[in-house]
């Protein structure tokens, strides 16, 4: 079972919505007949502090309840975390790991910072897209859009429909529309090395 | 029964399970990681999905006191807490059981202070293991929900009438989005049934006295009736679980037996760690290692005879304790299991692990199975070991 399981580790700063994204993705894959498990790592929670989130996706119910030590996919919402060894972005990664980084820099330049030989590095300006489309620098949902360009966990339309379900009761139509547009754009604008 | 597949945190799942019983009263005080559960419940009340009267008290001691008053008045009542909150309830936790009040409680397991720590271990519930409650443990959000629904039937059964606590691991279950099947509200309520109180303080036609002074003349007899209720409880837990299994297709007993049929070596564990054990046991099974797991669901009353029978004839048993008994001989689960195995020639060893939420990872399970293999082939091991800690 471990072989088929997708394990994603999220690196972000408090307030960027990584917790929401990690848990939402676990919920969204249910519609695809898959099982999801999503959880953040809780510490002293405060806006701006480095934090990690985790999402597991599998065809079978997920039984293990430990942290993800060897992620297949690492999603970085704040590229300055790459400069902080304490954030542990590269911990447990190797040439098979896929990195998706929210940045205006190129995959080559980010890849050099990550320094894992052979790892696939993708970049997308999710914060810029979020500012444009939503009006707020919340890159979490665009990063899921970008993820779908790398791993077809579901279609972008399926993601958008799940997103309406998540945001529908809490946010204005403008915020919802903005998120949908941002997801679509990030999916198209992801850059590979 | 058709059941919706949903993704919820453990806290949300238990909030639904309790709501589906249509309780009359909930009394609680917020503490991490329980807060989100009562937050969700308050949302049900605020938006009209539940008519439960919420009593927002100023401490957990008051929460349990209000729950006792409410249950004695004849209302279906629940509360929820964690860690220090449970410790502060202490005095009244015993009163609830002594008065035979069928209160249900979500105990979202968290370490006790100090130092202050918000993460999971079982030292909170283990501190209350002799208080006379029924303790059910859950591996994931599904089991937390299922135990939540079943807890009402167990607690309120005429042969039991004991408060029942649903334990689930703080953060690891309470704050993890997980897939689970939920009964429709009507079906859950049909299963739980309308509450029929036995004695009510508000029934002025049939006055009763609750909690009077009880000295050398009768106290011992009352404790004896409590002991008898505990002895009757397992049969009811099984009957309720069987009925729930027929309804939902999810079958429960005193414990879950994982790959035990031919297992020579067995890990005994409670809570979320069981799932992690299963994954590693499967890896060892592929290599031909006959390892299995016994996940205790009902820790109180402790299913002594069942444990003795299921572990009989095994070559080695490892007990995992997510709490320490300071000054005692091993953790609380070990003490019970070894005692149950008295007179049998089966080596039983203990591991204290995961205190304060220390991650219980795959390599720790592998260490335990490696040691089990060593013990099974005659190797030596300390009675009580520490797992996953820097020494």
């Amino acid at each position: 079972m471990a072989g088929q399981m997708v394990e994603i580790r999220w690196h972000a700063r408090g307030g960027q919505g990584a917790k929401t994204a990690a848990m939402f993705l676990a919920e969204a894959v249910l519609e695809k007949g898959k099982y999801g498990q999503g959880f953040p790592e809780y510490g002293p929670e405060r806006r701006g502090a480095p934090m990690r989130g985790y999402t597991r996706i599998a065809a079978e119910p997920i039984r293990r309840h430990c942290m993800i030590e060897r992620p297949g996919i690492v999603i970085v919402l704040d590229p300055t975390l790459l400069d902080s060894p304490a954030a542990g972005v590269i911990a447990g990664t190797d040439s098979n790991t896929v990195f998706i980084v929210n940045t205006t820099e190129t995959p080559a330049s980010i890849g050099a910072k990550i320094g894992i030989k052979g790892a696939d590095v993708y970049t997308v300006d999710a914060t810029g897209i979020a500012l444009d489309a939503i009006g707020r620098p919340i890159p979490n949902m665009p990063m899921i859009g970008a993820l779908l360009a790398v791993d077809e966990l579901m279609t972008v339309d399926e993601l958008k429909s799940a997103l309406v379900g998540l945001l529908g009761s809490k946010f204005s139509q403008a915020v919802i529309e903005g998120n949908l547009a941002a997801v679509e754009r990030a999916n198209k604008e992801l850059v590979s090395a | 029964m058709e059941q919706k597949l949903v993704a919820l945190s453990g806290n949300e799942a238990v909030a639904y399970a309790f709501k589906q019983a249509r309780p009359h009263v909930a009394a609680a005080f917020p503490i991490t990681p329980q807060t989100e559960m009562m937050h969700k419940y308050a949302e049900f009340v605020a938006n009209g999905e539940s008519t439960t009267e919420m009593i927002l008290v100023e401490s957990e001691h008051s929460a349990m006191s209000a729950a006792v008053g409410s249950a004695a008045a004849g209302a279906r009542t629940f509360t929820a807490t964690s860690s220090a909150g449970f410790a502060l309830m202490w005095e009244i936790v015993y009163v609830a059981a002594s008065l035979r009040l069928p209160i249900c409680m979500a105990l979202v397991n968290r370490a006790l202070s100090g130092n202050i720590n918000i993460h999971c271990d079982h030292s909170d519930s283990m501190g209350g293991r002799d208080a006379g409650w029924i303790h059910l443990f859950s591996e994931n959000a599904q089991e937390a929900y299922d135990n939540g629904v079943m807890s009402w039937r167990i607690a309120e059964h005429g042969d039991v009438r004991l408060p029942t606590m649903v334990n689930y691991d703080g953060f690891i279950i309470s704050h993890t989005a997980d897939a689970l099947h939920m009964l429709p509200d009507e079906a859950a309520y049909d299963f739980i049934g309308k509450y029929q109180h036995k004695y009510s303080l508000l029934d002025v036609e049939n006055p009763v006295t609750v909690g009077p002074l009880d000295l050398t003349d009768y106290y011992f007899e009352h404790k004896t009736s409590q002991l008898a209720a505990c002895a009757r409880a397992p049969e009811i837990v099984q009957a309720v679980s069987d009925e729930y299994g027929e309804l939902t297709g999810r079958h429960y007993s005193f414990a879950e037996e994982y790959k035990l049929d031919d297992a020579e070596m067995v890990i005994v564990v409670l809570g979320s760690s069981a799932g992690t054990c299963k994954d590693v046991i499967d890896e060892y099974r592929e290599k031909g290692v006959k390892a299995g797991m016994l996940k205790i669901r009902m820790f109180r009353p402790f299913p002594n005879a069942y444990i003795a029978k299921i572990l009989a004839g095994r070559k080695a048993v490892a007990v995992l304790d997510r709490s320490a008994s300071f000054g005692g001989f091993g953790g609380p689960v070990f003490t019970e299991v070894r005692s149950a195995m008295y007179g049998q020639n089966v080596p039983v060893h203990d591991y204290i692990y995961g205190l304060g939420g220390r991650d219980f990872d795959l390599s720790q399970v592998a260490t335990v199975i490696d040691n089990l293999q060593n013990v099974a082939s005659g190797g030596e091991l300390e009675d009580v070991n520490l797992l996953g800690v820097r020494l």
Side-chain angles (χ1 to χ4, degrees), chain B residues 177-219:
Chain B
D178 199 359
L180 70 145
H181 285 96
M182 243 173 44
L183 284 167
D185 284 352
E186 285 295 328
Y189 187 70
D190 284 349
F191 174 81
I192 295 165
K194 189 173 188 297
Y195 180 45
Q196 297 288 335
H197 60 74
K198 194 152 184 197
Y199 308 102
S200 166
L201 282 176
L202 300 181
D203 182 359
V204 291
E205 302 297 320
N206 301 286
V208 289
T209 301
V210 172
L213 191 66
D214 195 13
L215 299 177
T216 50
D217 51 355
Y218 270 111
Y219 181 89

Side-chain angles (χ1 to χ4, degrees), chain B residues 183-337:
Chain B
L183 284 167
D185 284 352
E186 285 295 328
Y189 187 70
D190 284 349
F191 174 81
I192 295 165
K194 189 173 188 297
Y195 180 45
Q196 297 288 335
H197 60 74
K198 194 152 184 197
Y199 308 102
S200 166
L201 282 176
L202 300 181
D203 182 359
V204 291
E205 302 297 320
N206 301 286
V208 289
T209 301
V210 172
L213 191 66
D214 195 13
L215 299 177
T216 50
D217 51 355
Y218 270 111
Y219 181 89
F220 198 172
E221 280 71 22
H222 290 144
K223 290 296 134 181
T224 302
S225 89
Q226 239 181 293
L227 286 168
C230 287
R232 287 192 299 267
E235 190 185 332
I236 306 306
V237 170
Q238 189 59 62
V240 170
S241 302
D242 289 345
E243 201 183 313
Y244 192 75
E246 277 173 36
L247 178 69
T248 62
R250 293 187 297 281
H251 298 276
Y252 291 90
S253 185
F254 304 149
E256 180 190 351
E257 301 163 11
Y258 188 73
K259 303 203 170 170
L260 279 193
D261 286 351
D262 65 341
E264 295 170 347
M265 294 156 282
V266 183
I267 299 175
V268 180
V269 67
L270 309 178
S272 66
S273 304
T276 310
C277 288
K278 287 174 186 171
D279 278 0
V280 181
I281 285 169
D282 283 6
E283 288 173 22
Y284 274 82
R285 281 276 170 179
E286 279 173 26
K287 293 187 276 187
V289 177
K290 289 185 176 171
M293 185 194 70
L294 185 68
K295 178 186 76 192
I296 297 176
R297 171 194 179 219
M298 183 182 75
F299 184 72
R300 281 290 183 267
F302 190 76
N304 195 59
Y306 163 82
I307 298 279
K309 195 172 165 204
I310 196 76
L311 295 180
R314 312 290 175 175
K315 288 186 178 171
V317 172
V319 178
L320 303 188
D321 266 295
R322 202 162 196 155
S323 63
S325 170
F326 296 96
F329 179 42
V333 188
F334 171 72
T335 309
E336 298 287 352
V337 172

